[in-house]
Amino acid sequence: DAIGQTGAKMLPGYDYIVIHKDLYTVFGGEIDFFALGRGIYTFSNELMTTYKLFNEKANGGLRQSDEYYEFDKLLLFGDAYVPWKEFDHPQFGKIEIGGAKKNYTRNHPGFLLLEDAHRNAAFTIYHAHHMPKLEITSIETKVLAGNLTEIVATVWNSRIIPTHSDHDVKNKVNRPDYIRIEGADVIVGMRVLDKDFNSTVEQKYKPDQIEVPSIDGMSEVRVKWIVKGSPKNVKIVVDSEKGGLVEKAI
């Protein structure tokens, strides 16, 4: 939502809407495939709206606004419409040919294209900038009784977009994020749900590689291991399909 609302500022006149409920039904659309089939956050931007004619919201829809005729008269000097004239059609008889040229209403009049294309490019770059960016912000070790060591790693996502969408997590479209420890003999591994209350959930299968469903935007996750001895040459690796590969030595 934060990206979309910023995009509405970058693209004046565009309405920030939810496609599936505010626009219209599409079968076999690429956006549906990316969002629902691959768990990718998508935006569908269209160039040229009636807002761009006179920098104000039009009363009608895309082709129902009289402003197109006024814009053609005042700024395109009548170039956008072909005058109607009779034509003898071989099948339908006398008809009339004319009206808007094929490059009007849906496409920009040439002098408006540069600004709109630049704004869309800027929004696309802004969208890409907020794709997940992970870093290991801290690794804490504590010596325990019985020749054991506790290792806690904190991973931070410094961008707005999570590593998995809600739809992705719910339907298990992509594998979870992995946070693993290498070079240590792991006794137990767990996700830390609440650091202050020491609330954790153990992962019994492959405890050296903790599975995290998603790392939210501008948020952190913690994992904890209990390992044998005081291991040397140990590193933590974060392996995320959409967040990249990050590692840090202890």
Side-chain angles (χ1 to χ4, degrees):
D1 282 354
I3 294 178
Q5 290 166 8
T6 299
K9 295 180 180 179
M10 299 171 73
L11 308 170
Y14 282 73
D15 292 324
Y16 177 46
I17 63 176
V18 178
I19 295 175
H20 74 86
K21 69 182 182 68
D22 297 325
L23 198 55
Y24 47 76
T25 301
V26 172
F27 297 95
E30 291 181 354
I31 290 177
D32 303 273
F33 169 73
F34 284 124
L36 306 181
R38 299 305 305 146
I40 297 172
Y41 285 92
T42 60
F43 289 90
S44 176
N45 297 349
E46 293 189 3
L47 297 174
M48 189 56 192
T49 69
T50 54
Y51 180 86
K52 296 195 69 62
L53 298 176
F54 297 108
N55 292 327
E56 60 186 13
K57 285 287 187 179
N59 294 323
L62 181 63
R63 294 181 181 81
Q64 287 74 44
S65 174
D66 291 338
E67 291 184 342
Y68 275 108
Y69 297 101
E70 189 176 2
F71 184 87
D72 173 54
K73 176 183 176 182
L74 297 176
L75 291 161
L76 300 182
F77 314 109
D79 185 59
Y81 291 96
V82 175
W84 292 96
K85 65 178 181 180
E86 285 191 354
F87 179 77
D88 192 8
H89 192 279
Q91 181 179 355
F92 301 111
K94 286 191 178 299
I95 63 171
E96 288 190 347
I97 296 177
K101 294 181 180 179
K102 63 181 180 180
N103 62 341
Y104 193 51
T105 72
R106 285 297 287 182
N107 297 331
H108 295 77
F111 73 95
L112 291 180
L113 177 60
L114 179 61
E115 177 194 348
D116 216 18
H118 179 93
R119 287 179 180 276
N120 269 271
F123 174 69
T124 301
I125 294 169
Y126 179 77
H127 181 192
H129 171 76
H130 277 293
M131 292 172 65
K133 184 178 181 181
L134 305 180
E135 57 182 300
I136 301 169
T137 55
S138 69
I139 302 174
E140 303 171 8
T141 61
K142 183 169 68 174
V143 176
L144 305 177
N147 193 32
L148 299 175
T149 301
E150 176 188 276
I151 301 175
V152 179
T154 303
V155 179
W156 169 259
N157 180 3
S158 62
R159 297 293 192 257
I160 292 176
I161 298 177
T163 56
H164 295 73
S165 68
D166 288 343
H167 177 84
D168 185 348
V169 173
K170 179 181 178 181
N171 295 280
K172 295 181 172 58
V173 177
N174 296 291
R175 67 164 174 82
D177 299 322
Y178 298 140
I179 305 176
R180 63 177 176 269
I181 186 170
E182 297 182 357
D185 188 358
V186 177
I187 303 299
V188 64
M190 64 201 82
R191 286 173 52 207
V192 179
L193 303 181
D194 191 308
K195 180 182 179 181
D196 295 330
F197 290 94
N198 195 29
S199 174
T200 62
V201 56
E202 180 185 357
Q203 180 175 297
K204 296 183 179 180
Y205 174 70
K206 296 184 69 173
D208 59 312
Q209 179 169 278
I210 307 300
E211 297 183 359
V212 179
S214 179
I215 303 175
D216 290 339
M218 306 297 292
S219 300
E220 64 184 15
V221 298
R222 288 185 178 87
V223 294
K224 181 192 294 187
W225 295 277
I226 307 298
V227 303
K228 288 184 179 179
S230 301
K232 308 295 182 182
N233 300 320
V234 174
K235 68 178 179 180
I236 308 300
V237 178
V238 181
D239 184 357
S240 170
E241 279 193 356
K242 293 183 171 63
L245 190 68
V246 182
E247 61 182 52
K248 186 174 184 178
I250 296 179

